[in-house]
């Protein structure tokens, strides 16, 4: 790898979701990521997923170790000695019971950054409770804000909690702690809680709420679909166009382009929104999505088609930037962000759990054959 994080060594104690996403991003940027996987996999792979199609593990190496084996902790701690970052996504206390908590790891590597990913955090009344993305964002107020005014909240897939409030904050946290460790020579623990990250992302809404510019109701605000100039409209063929004409100049161009009799000066008048939205809805129902896409192609007023995942991959802009790539007939996102000098190599395919067991253990000075024979590790290099 030649990316900006080339030379950075990350040990991921196998976890799903946001932890795996965060370490994928680190790997995309050039870090060497070794994932400690469980040895046991069924016909469909870990957690009912085919490992070959688990794109969150692309660019990583996999060593399969039975963490419940009495000799496993020592083997993993030896790997910790050569890492700069360790990530884990267990419930609070699990890593400690496995002998791989932050105290044990930092004792072996005092400059280590040890990142812990959970939904609720390492402490607090809910710390020991199970949960998923939808639970974490429901408690923060984020889920309440998404959806129509006359319907229930709509889960925004798992972008807001797992990936935004979780994975991205893990990346930010470990890189910040790593920078501090380079200055101090001492590592530390990073407590990444999805609820914390999501609430942090809601800072702008808290600001608007404090200023009286946000109503704490669903479907009643400028950015949640209530405003006619910022929303989604159905087209003649049952598809949709996205309108983001938030500024006066863009809204004026939109109204003029559509030939509508809407007073631009009332754009931000909430009392006018319902009427304006109805007029715009009627206008967009007059043509298909394809026709509207062509119509707005050269009109700079923030109107775009709502595309599916497969349609997006074929869009000229996405193709020009290589933001989505096709590998063996399957879509992958391209690495992001981009740098002027540092370019990471194309990520390697997701490994089968245990695919790199022998080479990883040997590189750490351990005896792979002995650990495999003892049942500590499993190799699936072939």
């Amino acid at each position: 790898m030649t990316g900006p994080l080339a030379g950075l060594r990350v040990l991921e104690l196998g976890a799903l979701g946001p932890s795996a996403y965060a370490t994928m991003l680190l790997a995309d940027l050039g870090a060497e990521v070794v994932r400690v996987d469980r040895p046991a996999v069924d016909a469909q792979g870990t957690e009912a997923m085919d490992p070959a199609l688990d794109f969150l593990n692309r660019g990583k190496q996999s060593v399969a170790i039975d963490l419940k084996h009495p000799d496993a902790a020592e083997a993993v701690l030896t790997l910790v000695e050569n890492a700069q970052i360790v990530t884990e996504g267990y419930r609070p206390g699990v890593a400690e019971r496995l002998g791989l908590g932050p105290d044990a790891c930092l004792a072996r590597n005092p400059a280590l950054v040890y990142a812990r990913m959970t939904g609720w955090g390492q402490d607090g009344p809910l710390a020991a409770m199970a949960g998923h993305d939808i639970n974490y964002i429901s408690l923060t107020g984020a889920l309440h804000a998404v959806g129509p005014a006359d319907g229930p909240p709509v889960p925004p897939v798992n972008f807001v909690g797992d990936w935004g409030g979780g994975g991205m904050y893990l990346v930010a946290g470990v890189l910040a702690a790593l920078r501090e460790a380079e200055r101090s020579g001492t590592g530390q623990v990073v407590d990444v809680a999805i609820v914390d990250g999501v609430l942090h992302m809601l800072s702008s809404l808290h600001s608007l709420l404090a200023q009286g510019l946000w109503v704490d109701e669903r479907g009643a605000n400028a950015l949640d679909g209530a405003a006619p100039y910022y929303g989604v409209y159905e087209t003649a063929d049952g598809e949709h166009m996205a309108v983001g004409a938030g500024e006066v100049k863009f809204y004026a161009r939109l109204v003029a382009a559509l030939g509508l009799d809407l007073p631009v000066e009332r754009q931000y008048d909430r009392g006018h929104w319902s009427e304006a939205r109805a007029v715009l809805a009627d206008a967009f129902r007059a043509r298909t999505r394809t026709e509207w896409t062509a119509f707005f192609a050269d009109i700079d007023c923030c109107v775009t088609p709502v595309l599916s995942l497969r349609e997006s991959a074929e869009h000229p802009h996405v193709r020009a930037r290589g933001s989505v790539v096709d590998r063996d007939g399957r879509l992958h996102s391209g690495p992001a962000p981009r740098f002027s000098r540092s370019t990471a190599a194309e990520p390697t395919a997701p490994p089968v759990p245990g695919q790199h067991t022998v080479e990883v253990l040997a590189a750490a000075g351990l005896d792979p054959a002995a650990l495999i024979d003892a049942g500590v590790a499993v190799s699936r290099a072939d």
Side-chain angles (χ1 to χ4, degrees):
M1 291 285 190
T2 58
L5 296 184
L8 179 65
R9 294 182 299 277
V10 181
L11 185 66
E12 174 190 350
L13 300 183
L16 302 176
S19 294
Y21 171 66
T23 51
M24 181 201 78
L25 176 52
L26 295 175
D28 280 353
L29 298 181
E32 176 187 328
V33 179
V34 172
R35 178 179 168 91
V36 179
D37 279 308
R38 294 180 299 173
V41 294
D42 56 30
Q44 294 199 313
T46 48
E47 304 299 327
M49 176 176 283
D50 182 348
L53 300 180
D54 190 351
F55 300 144
L56 294 184
N57 287 331
R58 71 186 190 188
K60 303 176 185 178
Q61 293 181 301
S62 172
V63 54
I65 297 178
D66 180 3
L67 296 181
K68 294 182 180 180
H69 192 285
D71 297 328
E74 180 58 31
V76 175
L77 289 173
T78 301
L79 299 180
V80 168
E81 293 175 2
N82 295 318
Q84 291 153 292
I85 295 171
V86 167
T87 69
E88 61 99 341
Y90 306 124
R91 287 203 209 185
V94 172
E96 284 83 352
R97 290 197 295 273
L98 293 171
L100 298 172
D103 290 345
C105 289
L106 284 163
R108 298 290 281 266
N109 185 347
L112 183 72
V113 172
Y114 188 104
R116 320 194 76 170
M117 166 62 70
T118 60
W120 306 116
Q122 294 299 312
D123 52 39
L126 297 179
M129 296 293 290
H132 287 291
D133 177 287
I134 192 170
N135 307 116
Y136 310 136
I137 67 173
S138 74
L139 212 67
T140 63
L143 180 59
H144 175 268
V146 182
D150 58 353
V154 178
V157 194
N158 63 341
F159 303 138
V160 176
D162 283 349
W163 307 147
M168 295 305 295
Y169 277 83
L170 190 152
V171 171
V174 296
L175 293 182
L178 186 65
R179 179 70 181 95
E180 195 282 332
E182 291 172 348
R183 294 197 303 267
S184 68
T186 304
Q188 60 182 308
V189 179
V190 183
D191 177 2
V192 186
I194 293 175
V195 288
D196 295 347
V198 172
L199 284 164
H200 192 261
M201 291 195 299
L202 291 175
S203 296
S204 63
L205 293 193
H206 289 151
S207 174
L208 293 173
L209 189 64
Q211 299 175 67
L213 301 176
W214 186 269
V215 179
D216 201 10
E217 300 173 12
R218 187 168 49 261
N221 298 280
L223 299 178
D224 62 8
Y229 54 81
Y230 200 92
V232 176
Y233 292 93
E234 185 175 4
T235 56
D237 54 348
E239 299 292 345
H240 297 86
M241 296 294 290
V243 174
E247 294 82 358
V248 172
K249 63 180 180 180
F250 297 136
Y251 186 60
R253 289 175 193 166
L254 171 66
V255 170
L258 295 176
L260 300 178
D261 184 22
L262 287 175
V264 175
E265 67 274 10
R266 296 191 66 186
Q267 176 178 0
Y268 304 119
D269 180 356
R270 289 174 180 266
H272 178 63
W273 282 2
S274 180
E275 175 188 346
R277 173 167 276 284
V279 171
L280 283 165
D282 285 342
F284 275 101
R285 278 194 290 265
R287 303 188 188 187
T288 67
R289 187 186 67 178
T290 299
E291 291 171 332
W292 282 124
T293 300
F295 179 86
F296 284 105
D298 298 317
I299 303 176
D300 192 18
C301 63
C302 308
V303 179
T304 51
V306 177
L307 304 178
S308 70
L309 293 175
R310 295 189 183 281
E311 289 173 331
S312 173
E314 297 301 320
H315 190 277
H317 185 79
V318 174
R319 296 185 67 176
R321 288 185 59 82
S323 302
V324 175
V325 295
D326 186 319
R327 299 192 184 109
D328 302 321
R330 298 181 174 94
L331 300 178
H332 289 245
S333 56
R338 305 182 185 194
F339 302 83
S340 62
R341 292 187 298 102
S342 304
T343 304
E346 181 175 314
T348 57
V352 172
Q355 181 174 330
H356 306 97
T357 295
V358 172
E359 59 195 272
V360 168
L361 295 178
L366 295 166
D367 185 342
L371 290 171
I372 292 171
D373 290 343
V376 176
V378 172
S379 174
R380 289 190 174 86
D382 54 358

